[in-house]
């Protein structure tokens, strides 16, 4: 790996031999093994490890309250929005400090301010999931982590379209590629949390798989990493008069089914996590979400739905999962499942939910199940769902699933 100007606190992506080649200002190259911190010329606190991209919209940018946030680690650094390396600390994203025009256009400005503003000491929100993910990865592997925050709140898949790459810094995708290039050109993987903006129309649900395919295909091609890992979050809850439950459910289901189609992708669920406002996951939930993403990066997939079996003689429905670690658990009465008709009206048939090792069993009242009955988990805008496995991986929202 080469870099024209080494910064203090920079993280270099390791190669297949767990080393990185660093070119010094005098043109002399040195090879550093995974670890650090190293001093290279005038640059201090250099690390060699893994680089991870944080991309998407506001829940990846982080809007959690800055209370009891994840503490920094000397082995986790971040390429800040202003293109300077530093020890990673909350908040990770400061899009108003970016020298790339797209972030200012998205905030209603026509030009990049000069000089760039610096951190607002009065900021009250901005906690995200990236730091918890990175610290967990370092604890497990001993490999330092460099984060590349690139998310921007309120953005859609249309705005992330890789076809806009030729616009360079005037597009989200083009700006992301340039940030990765400036960090050395290779990354270990991408963490993605986006989809709230897709709930604006039913058409976006139909286009979701195609748009996500195009995004990941472009990233793997442009970075010349055909197996680039891509791990993402399924939409959680929202409390909003403007939101459409049908669209919200539709995007969740599109997200649930998308990783089944591609290699080196995985999804984690946020359906059980509390909010800090009407649409953003709270700080403590984001910490859990970061650790869930660390699990899938470790090759430990979250529970996946296998299917539902109607056991008529016992008057019950068995909902089966794979990749459950240590059995299913609930913090209180198991909640989140519902039976609904074709118009998504709830059918009051379930009187109890019991948990088996790899299944949830829905016990029904003694009444015939109507035809065209559908099973859901996490129906609606703000469902109460509390099922996880013993490793705190949440069950994904799904539905409609015909019985």
């Amino acid at each position: 790996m080469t870099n024209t100007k080494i910064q203090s606190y920079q993280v270099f992506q390791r190669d297949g031999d767990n080393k990185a080649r660093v070119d010094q200002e005098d043109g002399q190259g040195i090879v550093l093994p995974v670890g650090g911190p190293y001093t290279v010329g005038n640059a201090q606190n250099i690390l060699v490890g893994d680089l991870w991209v944080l991309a998407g919209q506001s829940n990846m940018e982080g809007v959690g309250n800055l209370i009891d946030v994840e503490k920094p680690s000397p082995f986790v650094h971040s390429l800040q929005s202003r293109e300077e390396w530093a020890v990673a600390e909350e908040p990770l994203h400061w899009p108003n400090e970016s020298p790339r025009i797209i972030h200012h256009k998205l905030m209603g400005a026509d030009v990049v301010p000069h000089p760039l503003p610096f951190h607002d000491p009065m900021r009250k929100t901005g906690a995200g999931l990236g730091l918890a993910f990175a610290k967990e990865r370092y604890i497990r592997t001993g490999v330092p982590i460099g984060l590349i925050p690139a998310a921007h709140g309120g953005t859609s898949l249309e705005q992330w379209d890789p076809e806009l790459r030729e616009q360079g810094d005037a597009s989200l995708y083009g700006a992301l590629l340039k940030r990765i290039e400036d960090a050395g050109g290779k990354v270990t993987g991408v963490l993605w949390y986006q989809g709230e903006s897709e709930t604006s129309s039913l058409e976006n649900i139909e286009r979701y798989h195609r748009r996500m395919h195009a995004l990941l295909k472009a990233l793997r091609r442009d970075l010349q990493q055909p197996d680039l890992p891509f791990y993402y979050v399924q939409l959680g809850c929202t409390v909003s008069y403007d939101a459409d439950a049908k669209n919200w459910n539709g995007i969740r289901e599109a997200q649930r089914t998308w990783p089944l189609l591609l290699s080196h992708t995985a999804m984690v669920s946020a359906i059980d996590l509390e909010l800090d406002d009407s649409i953003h996951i709270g700080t403590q939930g984001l910490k859990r979400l970061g650790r869930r993403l660390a699990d899938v990066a470790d090759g430990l997939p979250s529970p996946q739905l296998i299917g539902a079996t109607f056991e008529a003689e016992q008057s019950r429905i068995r909902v089966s999962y794979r990749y459950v670690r240590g059995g299913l658990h609930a913090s209180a009465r198991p909640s989140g499942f519902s039976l609904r008709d074709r118009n998504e009206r709830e059918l009051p048939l379930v009187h109890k939910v019991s948990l088996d090792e790899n299944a949830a069993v829905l016990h029904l009242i003694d009444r015939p199940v109507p035809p065209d009955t559908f099973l859901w988990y996490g129906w609606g805008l703000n469902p109460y769902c509390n099922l996880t496995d013993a490793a705190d991986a949440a069950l994904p929202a799904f539905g409609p699933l015909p019985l």
Side-chain angles (χ1 to χ4, degrees):
M1 175 186 298
T2 62
N3 193 284
T4 56
K5 183 179 180 181
I6 303 173
Q7 295 185 38
S8 292
Y9 298 100
Q10 189 163 357
V11 181
F12 288 89
Q13 175 68 41
R14 60 174 170 165
D15 61 19
D17 295 324
N18 285 326
K19 298 175 182 178
R21 177 184 168 84
V22 179
D23 283 349
Q24 303 177 83
E25 293 182 6
D26 61 6
Q28 297 297 312
I30 60 173
V31 176
L32 300 175
V34 164
Y38 302 108
T39 297
V40 180
N42 295 322
Q44 299 179 340
N45 293 300
I46 302 298
L47 301 177
V48 174
D50 291 339
L51 294 177
W52 286 88
V53 171
L54 309 176
Q57 59 181 115
S58 56
N59 269 306
M60 178 59 81
E61 183 179 325
V63 192
N65 294 329
L66 294 175
I67 300 172
D68 189 24
V69 299
E70 193 73 38
K71 298 295 189 295
S73 163
F75 300 101
V76 179
H77 296 173
S78 173
L79 180 58
Q80 297 180 318
S81 299
R82 62 192 303 112
E83 312 291 342
E84 296 174 356
W85 283 94
V87 172
E89 60 181 348
E90 301 287 13
L92 293 174
H93 285 82
W94 296 83
N96 64 314
E97 298 179 10
S98 174
R100 305 191 185 274
I101 185 62
I102 181 60
H103 295 290
H104 302 279
K105 284 187 173 182
L106 291 169
M107 293 184 287
D110 294 327
V111 297
V112 177
H114 182 77
L116 290 171
F118 205 74
H119 292 1
D120 176 7
M122 303 304 293
R123 188 171 174 182
K124 302 297 184 184
T125 62
L129 60 83
L131 184 52
F133 166 84
K135 286 180 63 178
E136 188 69 18
R137 291 293 297 153
Y138 177 73
I139 290 170
R140 297 181 189 188
T141 66
V143 176
I145 301 293
L147 297 173
I148 305 177
H152 195 108
T155 51
S156 65
L157 281 176
E158 185 176 7
Q159 291 170 304
W160 279 97
D161 188 350
E163 294 299 319
L164 303 176
R165 68 172 64 77
E166 300 306 322
Q167 297 180 13
D169 284 351
S171 73
L172 286 167
Y173 186 85
L176 172 59
L177 286 184
K178 287 193 172 186
R179 279 174 67 74
I180 295 174
E181 181 182 353
D182 288 351
K186 298 292 183 183
V187 295
T188 297
V190 175
L191 303 184
W192 178 262
Y193 193 165
Q194 190 276 341
E196 296 89 344
S197 292
E198 308 313 303
T199 64
S200 61
S201 73
L202 288 172
E203 289 77 13
N204 286 341
I205 300 172
E206 298 169 0
R207 299 167 181 160
Y208 186 83
H209 280 196
R210 174 169 52 83
R211 285 174 165 171
M212 288 296 290
H213 270 70
L215 176 65
L216 182 53
K217 182 179 179 180
L219 280 170
R220 288 176 169 174
R221 180 193 63 233
D222 292 338
L223 298 179
Q224 299 179 46
Q225 295 181 249
D227 296 325
L228 177 72
F230 188 96
Y231 306 132
Y232 69 102
V233 183
Q234 185 188 41
L235 291 186
C237 298
T238 187
V239 181
S240 172
Y241 286 107
D242 300 327
D244 188 310
K246 184 177 291 293
N247 294 353
W248 208 267
N249 292 331
I251 292 297
R252 287 197 195 110
E253 184 67 0
Q255 291 174 325
R256 183 185 72 86
T257 55
W258 183 65
L260 305 178
L261 308 175
L262 292 167
S263 62
H264 304 286
T265 63
M267 186 195 79
V268 299
S269 174
I271 197 66
D272 62 323
L273 302 177
E274 293 182 345
L275 303 174
D276 264 357
D277 58 30
S278 66
I279 199 170
H280 297 115
I281 303 292
T283 300
Q284 302 314 308
L286 288 166
K287 293 180 185 180
R288 294 171 66 188
L289 203 52
R291 291 189 284 270
R292 290 174 183 177
L293 286 165
D295 280 346
V296 297
D298 259 348
L300 302 171
S302 290
Q304 289 183 4
L305 176 69
I306 295 175
T309 304
F310 181 39
E311 300 173 343
E313 291 186 3
Q314 292 82 15
S315 212
R316 66 190 187 187
I317 299 169
R318 179 175 296 273
V319 189
S320 300
Y321 294 85
R322 60 180 176 179
Y323 306 133
V324 176
R325 289 176 284 161
L328 293 179
H329 297 263
S331 55
R333 179 169 63 92
S335 300
F337 291 101
S338 62
L339 295 176
R340 297 179 180 273
D341 65 17
R342 184 171 296 279
N343 297 314
E344 300 185 10
R345 291 175 297 200
E346 186 169 9
L347 302 173
L349 296 171
V350 180
H351 69 84
K352 182 177 75 171
V353 177
S354 59
L355 302 179
D356 203 343
E357 184 71 14
N358 299 309
V361 180
L362 283 57
H363 302 265
L364 310 181
I365 62 175
D366 187 14
R367 183 174 176 176
V369 176
D372 291 337
T373 294
F374 298 87
L375 175 65
W376 296 77
Y377 181 71
W379 178 92
L381 297 174
N382 189 29
Y384 178 70
C385 302
N386 66 349
L387 276 73
T388 70
D389 67 11
D392 193 45
L395 298 188
F398 71 80
L401 182 69
L403 291 180

